[in-house]
């Protein structure tokens, strides 16, 4: 299957700082990428849908000014958590859709805000 | 609203078949049934998907009832490495629609 990478795999930051997470489709072009968040012992929750060259669509309850998404190319989407606080600590996972509508997930990024 | 219903947890003996059920009674005609699994602290891994016919690949088999209101994922010879949370998802198979995850089934394969 297609490969999706995320960087970094783990990040620890101080409260109030911003953190950028990258999601790359390594061997295919992805016009659509998705960002999910997963708290301990819970399921994945969709945060936003990102289309290349256009503004992301955010799910209800997700602050677009806090979670900035940029999808500038067909192989890269970034999620920036601005002014991070301890409650933003979570496992962030991206996925990318192929032209045949298959969806592949990245390995996830563990964010810890102190 | 949850579109699928799965048991919270299941156990299976190593080497035996694991049969994971999923109810999707409100499935639409253009929605596929997808199965993913998530091993602890990793991203979800695609297993299999189908529309109405039974499907088989190197990982598993997917049995969909004739009325499409339920399905069963079969891992024919479960190993300890198959211990994971298994998610059944219904999704329109075009337009790059998102995947909506329910609670899934926590499968524990025991020696």
């Amino acid at each position: 299957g297609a490969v999706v990478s995320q960087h970094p795999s783990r990040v620890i930051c101080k409260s109030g700082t911003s953190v950028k997470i990258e999601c790359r489709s390594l061997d295919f072009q992805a016009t659509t990428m998705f960002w999910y968040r997963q708290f301990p012992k819970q399921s994945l929750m969709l945060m936003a849908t990102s289309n290349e060259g256009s503004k992301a669509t955010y799910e209800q309850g997700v602050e677009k000014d806090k979670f900035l998404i940029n999808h500038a190319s067909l192989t890269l989407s970034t999620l920036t958590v601005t002014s991070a606080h301890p409650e933003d600590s979570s496992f962030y996972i991206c996925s990318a859709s192929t032209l045949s509508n298959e969806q592949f997930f990245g390995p996830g990024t563990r964010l810890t805000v102190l | 609203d949850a579109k699928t219903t799965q048991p919270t947890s299941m156990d299976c003996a190593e080497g035996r078949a694991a049969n994971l059920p999923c109810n999707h009674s409100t499935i639409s005609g253009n929605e596929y049934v997808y199965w993913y699994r998530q091993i602890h602290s990793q991203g979800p891994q695609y297993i299999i998907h189908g529309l109405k016919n039974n499907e088989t690949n190197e990982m598993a088999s997917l049995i969909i009832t004739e009325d499409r209101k339920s399905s069963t994922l079969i891992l024919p010879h479960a190993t300890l490495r198959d211990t994971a949370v298994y998610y059944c998802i219904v999704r329109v198979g075009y337009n790059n629609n998102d995947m909506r995850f329910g609670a899934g089934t926590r499968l524990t394969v025991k020696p």
Side-chain angles (χ1 to χ4, degrees), chain A residues 33-112:
Chain A
M33 290 185 172
F34 305 91
W35 287 96
Y36 295 81
R37 179 169 55 182
Q38 186 176 32
F39 292 109
K41 298 190 184 302
Q42 294 186 23
S43 186
L44 286 77
M45 295 297 295
L46 180 68
M47 298 176 67
T49 300
S50 167
N51 289 298
E52 185 264 338
S54 63
K55 291 184 178 180
T57 303
Y58 291 82
E59 293 299 301
Q60 190 173 8
V62 178
E63 300 174 58
K64 63 179 181 180
D65 294 330
K66 181 170 183 63
F67 298 100
L68 302 179
I69 292 172
N70 183 280
H71 192 163
S73 79
L74 288 172
T75 59
L76 173 64
S77 176
T78 60
L79 168 68
T80 301
V81 183
T82 62
S83 187
H85 288 95
E87 57 266 31
D88 298 323
S89 297
S90 188
F91 193 49
Y92 291 87
I93 304 168
C94 72
S95 69
S97 279
T98 68
L99 289 176
S100 56
N101 207 36
E102 296 173 280
Q103 198 169 128
F104 295 92
F105 288 81
T109 296
R110 174 83 51 197
L111 170 63
T112 302

Side-chain angles (χ1 to χ4, degrees), chain A residues 31-32 34 36 38 42-44 46 49 59 91 93 97-98 101-108 110, chain B residues 34 36 38 41-44 46 49 87 91-103 106:
Chain A
T31 55
T32 305
F34 305 91
Y36 295 81
Q38 186 176 32
Q42 294 186 23
S43 186
L44 286 77
L46 180 68
T49 300
E59 293 299 301
F91 193 49
I93 304 168
S97 279
T98 68
N101 207 36
E102 296 173 280
Q103 198 169 128
F104 295 92
F105 288 81
R110 174 83 51 197
Chain B
Y34 286 80
Y36 282 79
Q38 186 179 27
S41 293
Q42 297 183 25
Y46 167 81
H49 76 281
Y87 296 100
R91 170 185 182 241
V92 174
Y94 55 86
N95 285 346
N96 287 327
N97 281 333
D98 51 73
M99 292 280 180
R100 303 275 174 162
F101 287 78
R106 181 171 297 279

Side-chain angles (χ1 to χ4, degrees), chain B residues 12-26:
Chain B
C12 176
E14 187 179 18
R16 302 297 293 270
N19 298 288
L20 291 91
C22 179
N23 285 323
H24 31 79
S25 58
T26 61

